[in-house]
Amino acid sequence: MRWLAGYDGTEGAAGALQRLAAFAGPNDAVLLYKCYTAPSNDLTYRDPVTRIPMTTVANLRKLDEMALQRGRTHLEEGRALYAAAGGAGEVDTRLEEAVDCRGTLLRAVQEHRADFVVLGTRRLGPLAKMLATSTSSYIIHHAAGANV
């Protein structure tokens, strides 16, 4: 079997990885996937605390590097969490930068030829679900041939 697990460091993603560890066998191919959006792709990016625009080139380069490092850290955490939960076999990782992470994740599902896709949810309330876009819902509706 070929598994693809999205991991972003959230509680929902951690729970999904722990469940994956219970199902994936030692000969299964597991791909741990992380997509991030670099702040330089969003020229309206504002500091999360001060809300001050951070659009200088030096600031954006620094923020891009921080986003990349955070992505690498998430993959390291995910690999360790999977192993600690008893996950068997090798785990490959893939880190991608994109503006549209949902589309990029869907492409990764297709390229990996995943039989199963494992994603966590953020446990949003009903109003937040109506307003926010759900990566899990998007993949469920668009990942032909994979069980989500």
Side-chain angles (χ1 to χ4, degrees):
M1 294 290 186
R2 300 178 70 78
W3 300 81
L4 185 139
Y7 186 74
D8 61 1
T10 62
E11 184 180 319
L17 269 184
Q18 290 169 338
R19 286 184 286 287
L20 170 60
F23 288 104
N27 296 321
D28 289 354
V30 176
L31 175 64
L32 185 58
Y33 182 84
K34 167 71 179 168
C35 178
Y36 72 98
T37 301
S40 63
N41 286 326
D42 181 4
L43 295 180
T44 63
Y45 182 81
R46 294 178 180 274
D47 181 275
V49 176
T50 65
R51 306 302 300 155
I52 295 171
M54 304 289 290
T55 55
T56 68
V57 172
N59 281 343
L60 288 174
R61 284 189 184 138
K62 187 174 188 177
L63 291 168
D64 284 354
E65 183 57 38
M66 289 169 57
L68 175 62
Q69 186 55 46
R70 189 169 42 253
R72 289 178 180 145
T73 300
H74 282 158
L75 289 176
E76 291 169 11
E77 288 172 1
R79 187 188 295 263
L81 181 63
Y82 178 78
E90 284 295 313
V91 177
D92 290 326
T93 59
R94 183 166 163 186
L95 177 63
E96 285 193 75
E97 186 275 327
V99 174
D100 174 25
C101 284
R102 294 182 322 165
T104 304
L105 176 59
L106 182 59
R107 190 181 75 241
V109 168
Q110 295 164 344
E111 289 174 1
H112 187 62
R113 297 186 319 270
D115 298 306
F116 295 94
V117 179
V118 180
L119 300 171
T121 62
R122 296 187 191 271
R123 298 184 183 120
L124 301 175
L127 180 60
K129 282 183 183 177
M130 286 186 348
L131 299 174
T133 57
S134 167
T135 299
S136 301
S137 293
Y138 181 83
I139 298 301
I140 286 170
H141 290 99
H142 293 90
N147 298 299
V148 182

